[in-house]
Amino acid sequence: MASAVNKNLKPNLNASDEKLKEQTDAFESLILKTLLDTALKFENPLYPKEAGNEIYQSMYKDTLANSLSGSFGYSQLLFDFLKEQQAGKR
C-alpha cells in the first residue's frame, strides 16, 4: 500500500527516468531486505520449527521490503546521484 501512495507522489518522469526509479526502488528493497533479515529473527525456543517456516518468513520479509521501498530515501538519493552522473557525461 505504501508503494501505491509513493507512486502517486512521484513527479512526472519520462520513460527512462521511470525505469531508473524502478531500479533504484528495487535496490532499496534489497537493502531493506538485508536489514529485515538481520533485525527480524523469528527464532523462539518455545515453539518447534515447522516445515516451510523459513520460506514463509522469507516471503513475509520480501513483501515488507518491497512495500517499504521508495519511502526510506535511499532510492531517491541514488536516483539523484545517477541523474547527476548522467548529466555530467553529456
Side-chain angles (χ1 to χ4, degrees):
M1 183 172 182
S3 341
V5 172
N6 289 337
K7 290 179 182 178
N8 292 335
L9 295 177
K10 278 196 294 188
N12 293 333
L13 301 174
N14 61 28
S16 65
D17 286 350
E18 284 182 17
K19 288 180 183 179
L20 178 62
K21 184 66 175 154
E22 287 176 17
Q23 292 303 312
T24 58
D25 285 349
F27 182 74
E28 184 178 66
S29 178
L30 276 172
I31 293 171
L32 292 173
K33 173 73 165 73
T34 304
L35 290 172
L36 289 171
D37 284 341
T38 303
L40 298 177
K41 299 286 183 185
F42 291 120
E43 295 177 13
N44 191 343
L46 296 178
Y47 300 105
K49 287 202 172 206
E50 296 180 16
N53 192 27
E54 291 177 12
I55 294 171
Y56 289 119
Q57 289 176 4
S58 178
M59 290 170 55
Y60 170 71
K61 291 174 190 174
D62 283 339
T63 303
L64 189 58
N66 286 335
S67 67
L68 292 174
S69 70
S71 62
F72 272 78
Y74 298 123
S75 175
Q76 188 63 44
L77 183 69
L78 182 60
F79 178 81
D80 293 340
F81 174 76
L82 292 173
K83 289 303 289 180
E84 285 179 17
Q85 293 295 315
Q86 186 180 30
K89 289 183 178 179
R90 291 182 184 174

